[in-house]
């Protein structure tokens, strides 16, 4: 690849916009990267104006990251093919439900030697079971993929509050380049080789966060939530060891930001916890609450729980993952939410 690598951010929700703030600032200061950063924006009207026009004139994503100035070198582009054209590094930051359609749109319009970095927390259900989003992208586009996952609530990152994150990357040179593009003094990055494990952490912790929200809705305290976090982490490790068969699954990766740190922050903050609490308190469906509370954003936890449950059912392993399974059954099969506490009481860890 040539000097001055061109960057495209595919997605402009609150996480995509927070990342654009970091990447735009770093690209403007580092001669390795082209100054202009394209950001694909799904076009919508906000107060009678196009969102791309607002971002490009006022340098603020007023819908998804209000109150934060984006660097002026970040350019909002409504046409996806135009946005990715010529890019050397593609950052994917969209809800995982849309990744297939996006890849199909750009597959004939990207550089074959482009590097991809997925910041998408979710999994896909392939014909043979679990499919990581990075694998879906790699298969459809034929490019080398890495992942970034961590304890990163978007608004806090945008406010430049100190946090850590993890890049999972099998190639050391690519890892170093991506770290240079993304790291700031308050956004600290560790690069690890177990990219599959890093990515599975980012997906599975959202299921545990739904369980934490159930506890809050039921009025249980921090002791119960600590048990949910610990038992959830045990199920995350067990699931990773079952399904990440491409290489080793070391406990050390779960001690990185992508593991226990992301799990804790999501179980105390984050939209999955918030919606799950409201689900218990209001009796409304997950779909209704998503529409009411998320300002057009998508919820990942229940959808991931459904994909994981179907995989466990096929493998006849539902009983071994009672916390994951209970989240699915409560969200989708009308099981009473009180069942969640019995799944903790009778967890195999306690037998």
């Amino acid at each position: 690849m040539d000097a001055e690598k061109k960057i495209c951010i595919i997605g402009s929700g609150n996480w995509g916009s927070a990342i654009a703030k970091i990447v735009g600032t770093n690209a403007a200061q580092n001669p390795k990267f082209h100054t202009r950063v394209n950001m694909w924006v799904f076009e919508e009207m906000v107060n009678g104006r196009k969102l791309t026009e607002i971002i490009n004139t006022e340098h603020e994503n007023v819908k998804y990251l209000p109150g934060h100035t984006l660097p002026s070198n970040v350019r909002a582009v409504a046409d996806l093919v135009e946005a990715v054209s010529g890019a050397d590094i593609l950052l994917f930051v969209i809800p995982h439900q849309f990744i297939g359609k996006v890849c199909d749109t750009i597959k004939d319009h990207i550089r074959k030697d482009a590097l991809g970095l997925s910041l998408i927390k979710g999994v896909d259900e392939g014909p043979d079971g679990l499919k990581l989003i990075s694998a879906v992208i790699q298969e459809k586009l034929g490019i080398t993929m890495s992942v970034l996952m961590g304890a990163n609530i978007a608004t806090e990152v945008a406010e430049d509050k100190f946090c850590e994150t993890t890049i999972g990357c099998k190639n050391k040179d690519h890892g170093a380049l991506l770290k240079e593009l993304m790291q700031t003094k308050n956004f600290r990055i560790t690069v690890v080789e177990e990219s599959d494990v890093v990515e599975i952490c980012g997906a599975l912790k959202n299921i545990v966060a739904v369980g934490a929200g159930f506890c809050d809705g039921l009025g249980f305290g921090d002791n119960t939530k600590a048990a949910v976090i610990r038992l959830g982490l045990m199920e995350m490790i067990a699931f990773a060891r079952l399904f990440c068969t491409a290489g080793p699954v070391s406990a050390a990766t779960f001690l990185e930001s992508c593991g226990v740190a992301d799990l804790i922050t999501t179980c105390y903050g984050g939209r999955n916890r918030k919606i799950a609490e409201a689900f218990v308190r209001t009796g409304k469906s997950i779909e209704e609450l998503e529409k009411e509370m998320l300002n057009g954003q998508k919820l990942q936890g229940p959808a991931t729980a459904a994909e994981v449950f179907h995989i466990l059912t096929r493998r006849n392993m539902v009983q071994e993952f009672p916390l994951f399974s209970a989240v699915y059954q409560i969200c989708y099969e009308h099981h009473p939410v009180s069942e969640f506490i019995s799944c903790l009481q009778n967890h195999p860890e306690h037998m």
Side-chain angles (χ1 to χ4, degrees):
M1 288 194 287
D2 310 325
E4 275 213 335
K5 294 178 178 13
K6 289 185 178 173
I7 316 298
C8 174
I9 301 168
I10 300 171
S12 57
N14 75 332
W15 188 212
S17 299
I19 286 299
K21 202 174 166 185
I22 287 175
V23 168
T25 302
N26 283 356
Q29 295 168 353
N30 188 326
K32 283 189 186 174
F33 304 109
H34 196 283
T35 303
R36 196 178 77 197
V37 173
N38 281 354
M39 177 171 74
W40 175 60
V41 175
F42 181 79
E43 191 68 280
E44 49 192 311
M45 301 302 287
V46 179
N47 299 326
R49 293 175 68 195
K50 289 180 175 176
L51 184 56
T52 51
E53 182 199 319
I54 296 170
I55 292 170
N56 287 333
T57 54
E58 290 161 32
H59 307 296
E60 181 185 354
N61 187 336
V62 292
K63 178 156 187 189
Y64 296 111
L65 196 68
H68 292 279
T69 303
L70 298 177
S72 57
N73 58 315
V74 172
R75 188 177 72 120
V77 182
D79 184 288
L80 178 55
V81 170
E82 183 193 335
V84 302
S85 177
D88 299 293
I89 299 175
L90 299 167
L91 309 181
F92 295 86
V93 207
I94 53 174
H96 80 287
Q97 297 92 321
F98 304 131
I99 196 63
K101 191 177 173 195
V102 162
C103 288
D104 290 342
T105 304
I106 65 174
K107 65 173 184 278
D108 298 324
H109 304 279
I110 57 165
R111 294 183 59 135
K112 294 298 165 222
D113 60 351
L115 297 182
L117 182 70
S118 172
L119 290 81
I120 300 167
K121 292 178 176 176
V123 288
D124 205 25
E125 195 193 341
D128 306 316
L130 176 84
K131 193 142 204 199
L132 298 173
I133 300 299
S134 64
V136 173
I137 299 170
Q138 194 153 354
E139 222 166 77
K140 283 183 174 282
L141 301 183
I143 61 174
T144 302
M145 288 298 300
S146 302
V147 297
L148 182 148
M149 305 279 153
N152 309 139
I153 290 175
T155 48
E156 294 183 15
V157 172
E159 286 160 8
D160 200 29
K161 292 179 176 172
F162 180 86
C163 69
E164 301 174 317
T165 201
T166 312
I167 287 178
C169 182
K170 294 184 170 71
N171 179 307
K172 281 191 167 51
D173 292 339
H174 294 169
L177 181 68
L178 292 168
K179 180 171 179 170
E180 209 170 324
L181 175 64
M182 311 287 288
Q183 180 160 273
T184 71
K185 73 180 192 310
N186 280 331
F187 190 67
R188 307 307 291 177
I189 294 170
T190 304
V191 181
V192 301
E193 276 186 49
E194 289 179 16
S195 57
D196 290 359
V197 181
V198 171
E199 188 169 3
I200 201 89
C201 283
L204 297 179
K205 57 96 191 186
N206 283 328
I207 306 177
V208 186
V210 174
F214 290 160
C215 286
D216 290 340
L218 290 163
F220 290 93
D222 285 341
N223 293 348
T224 309
K225 198 187 277 193
V228 169
I229 291 170
R230 190 189 76 81
L231 293 168
L233 182 62
M234 300 305 285
E235 290 194 16
M236 285 168 62
I237 294 169
F239 194 92
R241 289 196 165 138
L242 271 177
F243 294 97
C244 298
T245 51
V249 175
S250 62
T253 301
F254 291 89
L255 298 177
E256 294 294 345
S257 183
C258 62
V260 69
D262 195 11
L263 180 60
I264 291 166
T265 199
T266 312
C267 287
Y268 280 91
R271 63 187 84 153
N272 289 282
R273 188 217 63 79
K274 188 167 82 174
I275 296 265
E277 180 181 12
F279 174 82
V280 178
R281 293 193 192 279
T282 65
K284 293 179 180 176
S285 71
I286 295 287
E287 291 76 15
E288 281 177 274
L289 292 165
E290 187 177 63
K291 284 195 186 83
E292 278 177 30
M293 297 171 67
L294 289 189
N295 190 30
Q297 295 179 96
K298 291 290 177 194
L299 197 66
Q300 306 291 7
T304 304
E307 283 148 4
V308 165
F309 185 81
H310 296 146
I311 291 160
L312 293 173
T313 303
R314 274 209 296 274
R315 299 239 182 157
N316 203 20
M317 298 184 77
V318 168
Q319 305 304 321
E320 291 164 52
F321 293 86
L323 191 151
F324 287 176
S325 301
V327 168
Y328 164 75
Q329 289 162 334
I330 292 163
C331 288
Y332 293 106
E333 294 188 341
H334 308 295
H335 285 220
V337 76
S338 55
E339 276 192 17
F340 189 68
I341 296 305
S342 62
C343 102
L344 302 178
Q345 292 163 337
N346 303 315
H347 200 281
E349 277 276 302
H350 301 141
M351 297 301 163

